[in-house]
Amino acid sequence: MQDVETRQRICKLLKREVVPAIGCTEPMAVALCTARAAELLGVRPQAIRVFLSANILKNAMGVGIPGTGMIGLPIAVALGAVVGKSDYQLEVLKDMTPRALDDARTMVDGGQICINLQPECTEMLYIRVQCEAEGRQTEAIIAGAHTKFVYLHDGNHVLLDKRRGGQGSHDDDDIQLRMQMVYDFATTTPVEELRFILSARDYNMKAAADAIKGNYGHSLGKTMDRPLSRGIFGNSIFSHIIAKTASACDARMGGALIPVMSNSGSGNQGICATNPVAVYAMENENTEEELIRALTLSHLTAVYIKQSLGRLSALCGCVVASIGSSCGITYLMGGDYVRVCHSVKNMIANLTGMICDGAKPSCSLKISSGVSTALLSALLSMEGKCVSAAEGIIDDDVDRCIHNLTSIGADAMRATDAMVLDIMIHKTC
């Protein structure tokens, strides 16, 4: 068992990274930044200027904004100014009303919002919002993490300035994880200290259930539940896991006003790290303690990988989250640390290189690919099968293997990221 201080630091990290969110986290983070700038102004802005890093712009262009029936950033920015409350963090728009939506649409139609790329931006996650009214201008900047304000100006005074030094996804006192540390925390910490993770199951399985009430996105989850699909995939744990995971993603990307539990600033990653584990535990009749430990292992593995990958990258987040869910499922199958590591290696050998081309309804397709691979990797590891260090980017050491993955995603794929954004911006549609 780990010492108390180590457990407390890991628990603090996990509680900060696994939090509720409504809607895609990139437009919600922009709405949050706008809400704070508008609060500093004290009146409704007459003009709003938004400057974003390329990855924020990419992830917010094609996703539905909850409760609006609209896609993209302008309506998210307008709602942030009209009804957003910064105290709500990534649930910033949860007080939205039909009247507020009408006012926000009027603001968009009136050309009061201007959105640009931030010039020469080196941050992957960067949001700067300026709100202006009655000759006064306020400014708010989020950088490094979706809710991390680094600069605030109320039009007269600088209220906060953390732009110099210490920028990045994590606070300076964050504990730096390793795979053995992740496994030991999940499997040896007193279960009562981990019980909070069950809220991830409650949020994300409810999102899957609520998604069935509408036709969101590409309705992949509902399609998997229909008779034709069952004739192909069977009425199995496999098909149930994909359906319950894809359904929650369908609703979230389709603009449903449904909260989910996120992981490392991503709702889709939270869904992907939760629902496969929760469905497997239910159908395999695992105990509640086993479920708690499996969910902890899944979510903390994703947090660990994101420590070196970064919040946003050219690598699809479902790769990270599905590695976590594969670890959780392996544990529920009775796997030990060695088999969990084998599952990680099997996943990296398969999914490395899957691009992120923004948040959008078709994310459910990628999540389904990640989840199906998670099950396959777990099954192979339980059969004693593992991709060896003689193959590709796999290393004998699981931590080096993970860093091989994140080096490719964070560094080698930068040119891919730029090309993806260029294609998205210049499409004829």
Side-chain angles (χ1 to χ4, degrees):
M1 182 180 291
Q2 293 165 330
D3 62 87
V4 174
E5 181 185 359
T6 298
R7 290 207 322 267
Q8 289 177 342
R9 293 180 68 192
I10 295 175
C11 196
K12 177 183 175 183
L13 172 64
L14 188 60
K15 286 181 177 179
R16 197 185 73 232
E17 298 294 356
V18 181
V19 296
I22 293 177
C24 176
T25 44
E26 277 70 52
M28 290 307 103
V30 178
L32 171 63
C33 196
T34 305
R36 189 70 189 102
E39 288 166 354
L40 294 174
L41 194 60
V43 296
R44 184 168 295 179
Q46 297 167 338
I48 303 174
R49 287 180 291 276
V50 180
F51 302 87
L52 305 172
S53 61
N55 285 76
I56 289 288
L57 183 62
K58 179 185 73 174
N59 274 13
M61 287 172 61
V63 68
I65 305 304
T68 69
M70 300 174 69
I71 287 173
L73 277 167
I75 190 64
V77 171
L79 282 167
V82 170
V83 75
K85 288 185 175 61
S86 62
D87 287 344
Y88 292 164
Q89 300 284 283
L90 292 177
E91 294 182 286
V92 58
L93 302 183
K94 70 178 182 180
D95 286 346
M96 185 172 56
T97 63
R99 173 63 184 274
L101 180 56
D102 288 341
D103 290 348
R105 283 174 171 157
T106 299
M107 184 177 285
V108 172
D109 294 340
Q112 295 173 255
I113 298 166
C114 180
I115 299 171
N116 300 281
L117 280 171
Q118 172 68 20
E120 300 179 0
C121 182
T122 58
E123 286 271 8
M124 301 294 278
L125 196 164
Y126 181 90
I127 304 163
R128 177 162 67 102
V129 178
Q130 297 172 337
C131 288
E132 186 175 329
E134 301 173 356
R136 184 163 145 259
Q137 178 179 288
T138 59
E139 183 170 327
I141 299 175
I142 286 175
H146 290 81
T147 60
K148 183 180 177 182
F149 285 97
V150 298
Y151 183 80
L152 296 173
H153 195 291
D154 69 358
N156 296 309
H157 306 96
V158 174
L159 305 179
L160 173 72
D161 192 351
K162 294 183 177 180
R163 292 176 295 176
R164 294 187 178 182
Q167 288 193 358
S169 301
H170 307 283
D171 292 343
D172 292 338
D173 64 347
D174 271 358
I175 189 166
Q176 296 302 300
L177 300 170
R178 292 175 291 104
M179 197 64 216
Q180 182 73 63
M181 190 184 299
V182 169
Y183 181 84
D184 289 346
F185 176 82
T187 57
T188 66
T189 299
V191 71
E192 290 305 316
E193 296 179 23
L194 304 176
R195 189 168 293 278
F196 69 90
I197 202 69
L198 286 176
S199 61
R201 174 205 58 186
D202 297 340
Y203 269 89
N204 295 348
M205 289 297 286
K206 184 177 186 302
D210 289 347
I212 301 300
K213 300 172 185 176
N215 292 314
Y216 298 107
H218 300 292
S219 297
L220 178 58
K222 291 182 76 171
T223 299
M224 286 295 297
D225 265 340
R226 288 174 178 153
L228 176 61
S229 297
R230 290 189 174 183
I232 297 170
F233 296 103
N235 188 12
S236 62
I237 296 177
F238 174 79
S239 64
H240 297 166
I241 284 176
I242 292 180
K244 291 292 187 288
T245 308
S247 290
C249 180
D250 284 332
R252 182 172 176 273
M253 293 290 95
L257 199 61
I258 297 172
V260 300
M261 191 66 79
S262 64
N263 181 296
S264 303
S266 168
N268 279 350
Q269 286 170 205
I271 291 166
C272 192
T274 301
N275 289 19
V277 177
V279 174
Y280 186 89
M282 179 176 62
E283 302 219 7
N284 195 50
E285 299 182 349
N286 288 99
T287 66
E288 183 178 73
E289 178 176 343
E290 289 168 339
L291 171 60
I292 290 171
R293 297 193 182 281
L295 285 172
T296 301
L297 178 59
S298 178
H299 277 275
L300 194 58
T301 298
V303 170
Y304 165 40
I305 297 172
K306 296 290 279 188
Q307 281 189 328
S308 55
L309 180 63
R311 297 276 171 168
L312 302 175
S313 72
L315 186 71
C316 178
C318 84
V319 175
V320 175
S322 57
I323 291 173
S325 62
S326 187
C327 293
I329 291 169
T330 302
Y331 173 80
L332 292 174
M333 289 178 171
D336 57 8
Y337 177 68
V338 171
R339 284 180 168 79
V340 166
C341 290
H342 287 177
S343 292
V344 172
K345 294 178 183 182
N346 291 339
M347 291 292 292
I348 292 173
N350 193 332
L351 289 182
T352 298
M354 182 185 288
I355 65 167
C356 170
D357 54 343
K360 59 209 174 301
S362 60
C363 284
S364 61
L365 294 167
K366 292 186 178 184
I367 280 181
S368 296
S369 296
V371 170
S372 62
T373 304
L375 286 161
L376 176 62
S377 296
L379 185 60
L380 283 173
S381 73
M382 293 304 293
E383 291 290 323
K385 306 296 183 182
C386 175
V387 178
S388 72
E391 303 173 67
I393 64 170
I394 303 306
D395 196 292
D396 282 327
D397 182 85
V398 69
D399 295 295
R400 285 200 296 268
C401 199
I402 286 170
H403 283 280
N404 291 344
L405 165 73
T406 59
S407 294
I408 290 171
D411 300 322
M413 292 177 70
R414 285 184 182 271
T416 301
D417 213 19
M419 177 62 74
V420 167
L421 180 63
D422 186 70
I423 291 170
M424 291 174 65
I425 289 174
H426 293 99
K427 286 191 295 185
T428 55
C429 65

